[in-house]
Amino acid sequence: MDNLKLKISTKILDLVEGLPRFRKGTISSLQDIRERQKKWSSKEFERRNAPKESNIELSQITLILTFEHEDFNNVIKGLKQYFPKNEKIQTFVTSLKESVDKLHASSWHNLGYIAREQGVYLPDVAVDESLPIDVKNVSLSFHRILPSVACIIFEFQLNDSVSKALSAIQNQIYLGPVEFKKLWPLSSLHRGYTMGTGNDCAIKSINNKKDSVRKEIEAWVKKGFSWKPQTMEAASYIDVYKISGNPTDPDERRNWLRENSGWLNEYGIDANGFDTLEGEDFLVSRPRSTNQEYMVSDVVAKFDSKSESEFGDFLEYKVRAIAVSSTIFSVIEKYRNKIEILRGHGFKNLYKRKKLTRKNQYNIQELKRTIVIISRFEHEVKQSGHWIAHSISEVGELIDLLRKETVNLGKNTIDNANYQLKQVKEAAAIIDSGLTNYLSVQSIYVMYKLQKWMFILSIVVTIATIIGVLSGWSNLKLLVSGWINA
């Protein structure tokens, strides 16, 4: 209903804007609203406009696919399908098969590179002309984070076309949304409408463009590797930007970030967020907006620096380190959502006092199965916490921009994961215990009713037996009497 009202309001204002300027009446009031829209939008555009001689480029979209122990055969099938003759992949597949059930396992493998066309790349590059149109090439790596949890990281290097499209979207003036409280507001406009600034419009348009690129990426992955649909459900993204024209001095750069926070926020870079971390010439941020179709776990922005090392900035290793942290929380989020659904169904059964059926039996079985898997995951995180923290430490030293404190991302990941797992397990245990006890009482009640009916049936059988015996005795007496008379 709200969306319909917004569309009607926009149509009305578009219509009156094309009319000659009225001095009085409802039409004049509507034209005043449209003029205020434009005035506010112009001011908002100046506030969020890109600074001079600065540029931002979406250079890479990183796709992280999470696999658990039950999915490892799915990993093997997908890799063998896409790389049927690649000896390196076959060696990796053999290694994974041999170690799939080990209680202690962790590893990292660079699986290879895929490019749209033949060029000057690293050795063993696969050429695939079906890559999405916005992608130049992609690198694949496999991370065995825990014995039962692994991820494949796809690092998609993008063409300039994506950044140009995002820049064109960002440089537009967006009218703030006006919504009339009535569908047809011509009778009275006094306090009869709400007006927004239009800032969310640019964010939504930019997210829609990035989502369209992600949609093409996922379609390519599904087609090439034929993984099960639920594989793509356990996916998250890291957007990697390159920013140029910024001050290279750290203090000046922080001031520059605050002054241009509106511009960067539209790309998902929250310079003033509680989870915004500053590394050596790069920034790690959690996007504030949640209206994108796909889960974006982190945004990484690389800045211009005073000097570039001859060995590069190792940004790819830092992104992969962040991806390890993202995978841990992706698994937790998966089971949190599952527990919420199972818990909700369980409480509904309790509220309605439903009898024991096959459906709620399955619900309890699935709940207990999920609790076991969460316990396995929790145990492995505790056992391998030191190695995970060491792997995440590749990201380097980080500073919380808001609190001005040094942050150990590896330690924070483990501590936060253990805390969240504890909360999820406790929530699951409450409904598990409640449902189990409730069904135990229900089973006792069913057994009592069964015994009651068995007692009644035993009486009926006894009476029937007596009647049968008496009937047989009478027949026997008649038979004997017949013999005597004969």
Side-chain angles (χ1 to χ4, degrees):
M1 185 64 179
D2 290 339
N3 192 34
L4 177 62
K5 290 170 68 175
L6 179 60
K7 287 182 178 180
I8 294 176
S9 303
T10 303
K11 289 290 184 183
I12 292 173
L13 292 174
D14 290 342
L15 178 63
V16 300
E17 184 181 13
L19 298 176
R21 190 65 170 91
F22 281 57
R23 294 184 179 180
K24 294 182 179 180
T26 302
I27 302 298
S28 176
S29 299
L30 290 169
Q31 289 174 335
D32 289 340
I33 293 173
R34 174 48 59 93
E35 288 177 359
R36 283 197 294 275
Q37 266 187 301
K38 289 184 175 181
K39 184 178 179 180
W40 286 13
S41 297
S42 296
K43 288 184 178 180
E44 182 66 19
F45 178 74
E46 293 176 4
R47 184 192 68 80
R48 65 181 182 80
N49 201 12
K52 292 182 179 179
E53 300 180 357
S54 297
N55 186 44
I56 184 169
E57 173 191 355
L58 181 60
S59 60
Q60 176 182 309
I61 287 182
T62 301
L63 167 63
I64 308 159
L65 292 182
T66 301
F67 298 89
E68 294 181 73
H69 179 269
E70 296 76 18
D71 306 318
F72 283 174
N73 285 334
N74 199 20
V75 175
I76 293 170
K77 289 179 181 178
L79 292 176
K80 288 175 70 175
Q81 174 169 318
Y82 192 87
F83 302 99
K85 299 180 180 179
N86 189 310
E87 293 183 3
K88 182 178 180 181
I89 297 296
Q90 300 306 319
T91 301
F92 163 74
V93 165
T94 302
S95 173
L96 181 58
K97 283 181 178 179
E98 293 174 351
S99 64
V100 69
D101 293 323
K102 289 188 178 298
L103 296 178
H104 302 281
S106 61
S107 60
W108 174 85
H109 298 271
N110 183 13
L111 298 178
Y113 295 84
I114 304 170
R116 175 184 297 282
E117 56 188 19
Q118 195 68 46
V120 182
Y121 299 103
L122 295 175
D124 299 326
V125 175
V127 177
D128 187 348
E129 296 179 356
S130 69
L131 275 172
I133 191 67
D134 295 312
V135 174
K136 292 189 294 187
N137 57 72
V138 55
S139 63
L140 286 73
S141 58
F142 176 87
H143 292 243
R144 184 84 172 267
I145 301 171
L146 296 169
S148 64
V149 176
C151 68
I152 293 182
I153 301 175
F154 292 81
E155 296 168 292
F156 291 90
Q157 304 298 324
L158 304 180
N159 295 317
D160 296 338
S161 57
V162 178
S163 297
K164 290 178 180 178
L166 295 179
S167 179
I169 293 171
Q170 197 273 336
N171 285 328
Q172 294 181 25
I173 295 178
Y174 294 90
L175 292 177
V178 171
E179 184 176 318
F180 297 114
K181 294 181 181 179
K182 296 181 179 179
L183 287 176
W184 192 250
L186 300 183
S187 58
S188 175
L189 287 174
H190 181 64
R191 295 183 179 179
Y193 66 92
T194 57
M195 181 183 293
T197 62
N199 182 42
D200 289 342
C201 298
I203 295 175
K204 185 176 181 179
S205 298
I206 288 174
N207 283 338
N208 286 342
K209 173 57 183 175
K210 291 191 290 187
D211 283 348
S212 68
V213 178
R214 296 186 187 107
K215 188 172 294 183
E216 292 177 356
I217 285 173
E218 289 202 2
W220 176 80
V221 173
K222 288 178 182 177
K223 182 178 179 181
F225 295 86
S226 295
W227 279 320
K228 296 178 181 178
Q230 55 264 35
T231 301
M232 306 309 297
E233 293 174 2
S236 60
Y237 288 88
I238 299 176
D239 294 342
V240 182
Y241 290 94
K242 288 185 179 179
I243 298 176
S244 58
N246 59 273
T248 55
D249 179 76
D251 292 331
E252 293 180 5
R253 186 173 63 207
R254 293 184 189 111
N255 294 330
W256 182 84
L257 285 170
R258 283 190 289 270
E259 292 172 0
N260 298 286
S261 59
W263 170 55
L264 295 172
N265 186 55
E266 293 184 352
Y267 290 95
I269 304 170
D270 187 3
N272 300 314
F274 287 100
D275 295 323
T276 303
L277 308 175
E278 182 184 29
E280 186 178 359
D281 298 323
F282 72 95
L283 200 71
V284 182
S285 170
R286 291 278 175 89
R288 182 180 297 177
S289 173
T290 58
N291 60 12
Q292 60 262 23
E293 183 178 350
Y294 301 94
M295 177 184 171
V296 180
S297 61
D298 293 283
V299 177
V300 178
K302 175 72 174 64
F303 297 113
D304 272 349
S305 58
K306 293 181 180 179
S307 60
E308 295 289 344
S309 169
E310 61 177 319
F311 301 105
D313 53 26
F314 299 104
L315 186 64
E316 61 180 307
Y317 296 103
K318 301 178 190 300
V319 172
R320 291 174 185 176
I322 296 170
V324 172
S325 177
S326 176
T327 301
I328 295 293
F329 292 120
S330 179
V331 175
I332 296 174
E333 186 66 19
K334 170 186 173 182
Y335 286 111
R336 178 188 286 111
N337 293 336
K338 190 168 186 178
I339 288 297
E340 286 176 355
I341 294 172
L342 294 172
R343 190 170 180 264
H345 289 329
F347 277 125
K348 285 178 183 177
N349 290 336
L350 286 176
Y351 294 151
K352 295 179 180 179
R353 299 179 180 178
K354 286 188 174 182
K355 295 181 179 180
L356 182 63
T357 64
R358 183 178 297 178
K359 185 175 180 181
N360 50 37
Q361 276 183 328
Y362 171 79
N363 189 78
I364 295 173
Q365 291 172 356
E366 191 64 20
L367 180 65
K368 289 184 176 296
R369 175 182 173 275
T370 304
I371 291 174
V372 171
I373 295 176
I374 292 174
S375 299
R376 179 189 69 183
F377 181 62
E378 182 184 38
H379 171 74
E380 291 182 358
V381 168
K382 289 180 179 179
Q383 292 292 316
S384 306
H386 177 75
W387 183 88
I388 297 173
H390 176 74
S391 180
I392 298 174
S393 68
E394 292 285 344
V395 75
E397 183 178 296
L398 298 172
I399 298 174
D400 189 308
L401 274 182
L402 200 63
R403 301 181 182 88
K404 305 292 190 302
E405 299 174 350
T406 301
V407 174
N408 186 330
L409 185 62
K411 183 178 183 302
N412 284 7
T413 297
I414 299 304
D415 292 345
N416 197 1
N418 285 326
Y419 173 77
Q420 291 190 37
L421 283 169
K422 181 181 177 183
Q423 299 298 313
V424 172
K425 280 188 66 178
E426 288 178 353
I430 290 173
I431 186 63
D432 178 48
S433 175
L435 277 177
T436 301
N437 293 335
Y438 173 71
L439 291 177
S440 296
V441 173
Q442 194 179 75
S443 297
I444 293 172
Y445 176 67
V446 171
M447 290 299 297
Y448 166 75
K449 292 182 69 176
L450 181 62
Q451 289 176 356
K452 177 182 176 182
W453 281 106
M454 289 179 65
F455 176 71
I456 294 172
L457 288 173
S458 65
I459 294 175
V460 171
V461 170
T462 302
I463 294 173
T465 302
I466 293 172
I467 293 173
V469 169
L470 292 176
S471 175
W473 177 252
S474 299
N475 292 334
L476 182 61
K477 287 173 62 179
L478 291 173
L479 179 63
V480 172
S481 299
W483 288 345
I484 293 174
N485 294 329

